[in-house]
Amino acid sequence: MRVRLLAMHDVSRMFCVTRCSGVFLSGVLNDRTVGIFQNLEHLRLRRACIQSSRLSAEAFRRSLCPHKLQELNASHIHSDVTISDVLHGLTSSKLCRQGLQTLLMDGLRLYGGAGEESLQASFSMLRGLKKLSLAWTDLNDRGLEDICAIPMLESLDISGTNVTDLTPLLNCQSRLLSLNAHGLQKVEMPASSFISVLSKLHLLRHLDISNDRLVMDRDDLVQQLLERPGMLPQLVSLDVSGWRGVSGAAIQAFVEVRPGLRFIGLLGTGAGGSELLCGDGQLKVAGESSLTQLCEALRRYSDRESFIREVLAHLYSHTSDMEEPQPHIVKLVLAAMRHHTDSPHVQLVASACVFNLTVQELVLGMPLRLLGNVVQQLLTAMKNFPNHEQLQKNCLLTLCSDHILQVAPFDRYEAAKLIMMMLGNHEDQTVQRMAVAVVSILVSKLSTEEIAELGAEAYIMKQLLSIVQQKASLGVVDSTLKFALSALWNLTDETPTACRHFIQCQGIELYMELLESYYSESSIQQKLLGLLNNVAEVEELRMELMNEDLVEHILSLLINPEVEVDISYFAGGILAHLVSVRGAAWSLDAELHSTVQEKLHSSVLSWSSPEHAMVSYRTFQPFYPLLHVSQCPGVQLWALWAIQFVCRQNAPQYCDMLQSEGGTDILRVLSSHADTHSDVKSLTQNILKILEQNIHPTSSGTKRGNIISVS
């Protein structure tokens, strides 16, 4: 039975039973919540996992030790609790002394306060204990002697401890079935004595003497073990990973005479290349000679950083030219990243492996949920190591995928915000290009509310405008400039706050310069005018655009027959809003005002609809004020042309939108009004006909903005 501990009253309701086989409370238990387990009348615990919890020694003793525990995992407790404290609590209970069979205390200190040099109780008092793990503790030789007196001990893990002499193990040679002695760096025994002790443990089925430092076996420790006649005949698993220079022939001979062997760890040994050790059959092999061996190593060594680093380095080479999607390998790599979030080396190599495994068509074969997990893990790595430039590059390389950015399930708002924050730490052009590309796509996928929140962050506007200005100063036209302009365009869409930030950051002045300097670049012009359109939609900000040079330049784009319709359309949108009867009063020359109205009318009538998708809309709300009967015909025509264009492109979607927003009624009023210009009536009636032919019961608006891709 697994329990998520929420509050005292919640727990009380959960445990209205007379028996509880187990309670899994890793990381959530503390002195306040553990008190519920003092009620022995309603709760009788047999198994408890309090790993990574925050408990005092007294709370542990009073709440858990009175139970007849059979299994206890007290590893890595985040408090001052020591091995001595746990032993004292358990041995103070007769039920635990006799009934406890499994005890895990990895990562704890042996003793507590200064001056304490002996345990408060003896391991050997736990008469029923069969499995004990003290990995990565400061266990010493005296403690090992005590442990080896436990009468029923079958499994022992002393990895990474301070033990120097394994001779006490001979006291339990008649019962020890499993010994983990990984990373024993302080052993002082000669290799021959070490092997002599192991050779007498005749019942051993599992032996791990791997070396976490991945060093040469200069004393031939492993070689002696492999070549000693009759050595450990009952072995089912042997791990000698990390000892470089092991003989492949010796490994082969050892395995051949032990048909019952089911696992052998050979990572970093240089052995494992033979067909017998391929790892595809009953014998599983953790090594580096094949993807099968590497996957086994990722599974076996998830908590061993040095081994994971070694595995990932080899995996990167093995996955550099993949032809088929391998989602199971991606899952293993992500698990390694989660286990070692604080290791920059693991994150660096793992992120490179993720790129290899998701590059190009491979990403199409990955489950969407897995891709969502990929994104989340990469963003976590970027957040944890914001100044690690190569790691940022690796993560962004994977994220620069249309498929991932468009369809994978993840929080795009948080992703865009994180990447923009990270961008401020790097001047590298590659990082900058990829980050801006990713943000541009992400912003185009956000909801209006999310864009409003993102647009409220002034630093994002400053960062993007800084990139635009930097590129403009060099006079270049590259993907970074285009993506930055696209992001700015989408960021200001229906977001007055972002538009204000744009103005406050001298964005209008910068865009005026760009309109002139990039006059022949239609893709740049479109993005510049698209953003200025967004500003013009905000009535209280239109005055900021009342600059004669700017208006005349935009007018020239509207009327120039050589300019593409896309450009003329956005130029017309800005002017339509500026000469609208709503919002700021026209403050420029009256003749210019008349010219704008006249040219809007004639230009719109001359436009032919482009075949490509020019723009998309989430709502027609910004257009409805322009369709009021009091507006001049040129303003009305521009809005009507835009509505007609998208309705022809995607009739079901936009006809539904017109109906649901009440736009149909506005069009009918305009069409029937006596003062409506004939050109306006004609265009209005065309839209109403499209509407009549395409009735659809639902509506689903799309993001207004330019259509962009990172490919």
Side-chain angles (χ1 to χ4, degrees):
M1 180 177 180
R2 291 192 172 190
V3 180
R4 180 172 180 173
L5 204 58
L6 301 175
M8 292 296 290
H9 61 279
D10 296 318
V11 179
S12 298
R13 288 199 297 270
M14 290 178 186
F15 287 99
C16 53
V17 294
T18 57
R19 182 180 297 274
C20 179
S21 62
V23 55
F24 183 88
L25 295 167
S26 176
V28 298
L29 205 61
N30 55 44
D31 284 5
R32 183 179 66 85
T33 55
V34 75
I36 187 67
F37 298 107
Q38 294 183 26
N39 190 338
L40 298 182
E41 294 182 6
H42 295 87
L43 292 170
R44 298 177 186 175
L45 295 178
R46 294 296 179 264
R47 297 189 296 273
C49 176
I50 57 173
Q51 180 178 356
S52 303
S53 297
R54 296 186 178 277
L55 276 183
S56 66
E58 181 63 17
F60 166 76
R61 186 185 64 79
R62 293 178 59 186
S63 300
L64 296 179
C65 293
H67 294 274
K68 190 177 181 180
L69 293 175
Q70 295 175 354
E71 299 178 13
L72 173 64
N73 184 349
S75 299
H76 306 288
I77 296 179
H78 297 303
S79 67
D80 294 330
V81 173
T82 64
I83 293 173
S84 181
D85 294 328
V86 174
L87 269 184
H88 176 65
L90 293 172
T91 56
S92 65
S93 165
K94 181 179 179 181
L95 294 175
C96 291
R97 286 200 305 270
Q98 297 176 346
L100 188 67
Q101 298 177 20
T102 298
L103 177 59
L104 313 179
M105 294 188 288
D106 298 346
L108 299 188
R109 290 178 298 112
L110 197 60
Y111 306 121
E116 185 179 356
E117 298 181 356
S118 61
L119 297 172
Q120 300 179 47
S122 170
F123 280 104
S124 58
M125 294 174 67
L126 299 173
R127 312 300 292 173
L129 194 64
K130 294 182 178 181
K131 179 178 180 179
L132 175 63
S133 180
L134 297 168
W136 307 105
T137 69
D138 52 352
L139 178 72
N140 52 28
D141 291 344
R142 185 167 59 176
L144 181 60
E145 290 179 8
D146 182 26
I147 288 168
C148 292
I150 299 174
M152 299 183 69
L153 186 66
E154 297 177 352
S155 175
L156 177 62
D157 190 342
I158 54 173
S159 301
T161 61
N162 293 336
V163 170
T164 66
D165 187 350
L166 298 185
T167 304
L169 292 174
L170 297 176
N171 294 329
C172 53
Q173 59 181 305
S174 62
R175 52 190 182 275
L176 197 62
L177 303 177
S178 175
L179 175 63
N180 278 6
H182 162 73
L184 284 186
Q185 303 300 338
K186 297 190 177 182
V187 171
E188 298 175 354
M189 303 172 69
S192 57
S193 300
F194 189 99
I195 298 301
S196 177
V197 170
L198 294 181
S199 68
K200 294 180 173 62
L201 304 179
H202 301 292
L203 300 180
L204 268 190
R205 294 172 61 81
H206 306 278
L207 175 62
D208 181 354
I209 56 169
S210 55
N211 192 325
D212 62 322
R213 294 186 179 178
L214 295 126
V215 295
M216 288 296 296
D217 184 12
R218 301 190 182 282
D219 296 327
D220 293 330
L221 176 71
V222 176
Q223 199 74 11
Q224 291 185 49
L225 182 149
L226 296 172
E227 295 177 348
R228 185 164 182 138
M231 183 76 175
L232 304 176
Q234 304 297 322
L235 272 188
V236 174
S237 72
L238 171 66
D239 200 334
V240 294
S241 290
W243 291 105
R244 300 197 187 279
V246 173
S247 165
I251 291 286
Q252 178 99 356
F254 185 86
V255 171
E256 286 176 346
V257 297
R258 289 170 177 78
L261 203 63
R262 292 294 175 264
F263 170 74
I264 187 165
L266 300 175
L267 180 68
T269 63
S274 68
E275 185 176 347
L276 178 64
L277 301 173
C278 66
D280 290 329
Q282 287 186 326
L283 177 62
K284 302 303 178 184
V285 181
E288 68 261 18
S289 297
S290 67
L291 280 177
T292 301
Q293 291 185 6
L294 289 168
C295 288
E296 187 66 28
L298 282 172
R299 282 188 285 267
R300 296 268 180 172
Y301 303 138
S302 61
D303 60 343
R304 299 181 180 181
E305 182 185 342
S306 61
F307 282 5
I308 288 296
R309 290 167 57 173
E310 181 82 0
V311 173
L312 291 173
H314 288 286
L315 183 65
Y316 178 73
S317 299
H318 278 271
T319 58
S320 60
D321 192 22
M322 300 293 292
E323 295 182 356
E324 297 293 331
Q326 304 289 339
H328 68 289
I329 301 181
V330 175
K331 290 179 183 178
L332 292 172
V333 174
L334 294 183
M337 295 181 77
R338 283 192 294 271
H339 270 96
H340 303 281
T341 55
D342 58 347
S343 169
H345 191 99
V346 168
Q347 300 300 313
L348 178 66
V349 188
S351 61
C353 292
V354 168
F355 173 73
N356 280 353
L357 292 163
T358 58
V359 69
Q360 297 178 356
E361 289 79 14
L362 294 178
V363 72
L364 302 178
M366 299 293 170
L368 292 184
R369 175 174 287 187
L370 178 60
L371 289 179
N373 294 337
V374 165
V375 174
Q376 189 55 54
Q377 205 57 53
L378 294 177
L379 292 175
T380 298
M382 295 175 73
K383 182 178 180 181
N384 290 344
F385 302 98
N387 298 315
H388 197 308
E389 194 165 275
Q390 188 58 54
L391 176 57
Q392 300 291 328
K393 285 183 181 179
N394 288 359
C395 295
L396 288 169
L397 277 169
T398 298
L399 293 176
C400 276
S401 159
D402 277 337
H403 185 70
I404 289 177
L405 295 177
Q406 298 286 356
V407 303
F410 64 96
D411 190 332
R412 287 168 173 78
Y413 168 77
E414 290 297 333
K417 190 173 179 180
L418 174 65
I419 294 174
M420 283 306 307
M421 291 180 65
M422 176 278 300
L423 190 56
N425 298 326
H426 299 278
E427 296 182 358
D428 181 85
Q429 295 297 303
T430 303
V431 172
Q432 192 179 84
R433 174 177 54 81
M434 292 189 292
V436 172
V438 171
V439 168
S440 184
I441 297 291
L442 292 176
V443 173
S444 72
K445 299 288 289 183
L446 299 181
S447 67
T448 304
E449 295 75 19
E450 289 172 326
I451 288 181
E453 289 185 40
L454 202 62
E457 303 287 351
Y459 76 90
I460 294 179
M461 183 65 65
K462 291 179 181 177
Q463 192 73 25
L464 289 171
L465 285 174
S466 174
I467 292 171
V468 170
Q469 189 167 34
Q470 178 188 27
K471 293 296 180 181
S473 66
L474 300 174
V476 298
V477 178
D478 60 11
S479 59
T480 303
L481 175 62
K482 292 181 180 180
F483 281 126
L485 292 173
S486 294
L488 286 164
W489 182 3
N490 283 315
L491 192 63
T492 54
D493 184 39
E494 298 179 45
T495 313
T497 302
C499 291
R500 290 189 185 92
H501 287 323
F502 173 79
I503 293 170
Q504 292 165 0
C505 295
Q506 286 75 51
I508 292 178
E509 292 82 355
L510 174 61
Y511 271 43
M512 287 176 63
E513 295 177 9
L514 298 180
L515 283 170
E516 294 184 4
S517 56
Y518 290 99
Y519 188 83
S520 60
E521 297 288 342
S522 59
S523 62
I524 302 296
Q525 293 279 315
Q526 184 189 49
K527 299 178 196 315
L528 297 171
L529 295 170
L531 185 146
L532 294 177
N533 246 294
N534 291 339
V535 176
E537 287 178 4
V538 184
E539 293 182 6
E540 61 269 27
L541 298 181
R542 288 174 188 165
M543 183 60 68
E544 303 292 340
L545 298 173
M546 295 289 185
N547 179 291
E548 190 166 332
D549 291 338
L550 175 61
V551 172
E552 288 182 347
H553 184 87
I554 294 173
L555 180 60
S556 70
L557 296 174
L558 171 69
I559 63 178
N560 188 340
E562 297 181 1
V563 171
E564 297 176 8
V565 174
D566 308 46
I567 305 302
S568 297
Y569 166 77
F570 288 111
I574 299 169
L575 297 174
H577 285 291
L578 292 183
V579 298
S580 169
V581 295
R582 299 184 57 170
W586 182 265
S587 60
L588 303 178
D589 182 70
E591 184 178 347
L592 181 59
H593 184 272
S594 300
T595 302
V596 169
Q597 291 181 321
E598 175 190 337
K599 296 303 181 182
L600 266 174
H601 193 138
S602 59
S603 296
V604 173
L605 293 178
S606 69
W607 290 343
S608 58
S609 297
E611 296 181 0
H612 61 278
M614 189 174 66
V615 70
S616 59
Y617 296 99
R618 186 193 299 107
T619 177
F620 287 132
Q621 293 295 342
F623 292 96
Y624 298 142
L626 304 182
L627 297 176
H628 194 271
V629 293
S630 61
Q631 297 283 14
C632 72
V635 171
Q636 295 168 335
L637 283 170
W638 178 85
L640 289 168
W641 189 92
I643 294 173
Q644 176 184 254
F645 172 73
V646 293
C647 283
R648 284 177 172 172
Q649 290 275 329
N650 190 343
Q653 175 182 323
Y654 290 110
C655 289
D656 287 344
M657 187 187 297
L658 271 174
Q659 281 189 310
S660 63
E661 294 181 348
T664 308
D665 295 334
I666 295 174
L667 292 175
R668 290 197 177 105
V669 169
L670 187 61
S671 176
S672 61
H673 198 277
D675 295 334
T676 300
H677 193 282
S678 59
D679 293 334
V680 174
K681 282 188 177 184
S682 176
L683 197 49
T684 304
Q685 289 165 2
N686 288 344
I687 297 172
L688 290 172
K689 287 178 183 178
I690 297 173
L691 186 64
E692 291 172 2
Q693 297 167 2
N694 296 275
I695 303 299
H696 199 272
T698 60
S699 63
S700 57
T702 60
K703 179 78 187 76
R704 182 176 58 175
N706 50 321
I707 297 173
I708 51 182
S709 167
V710 298
S711 57

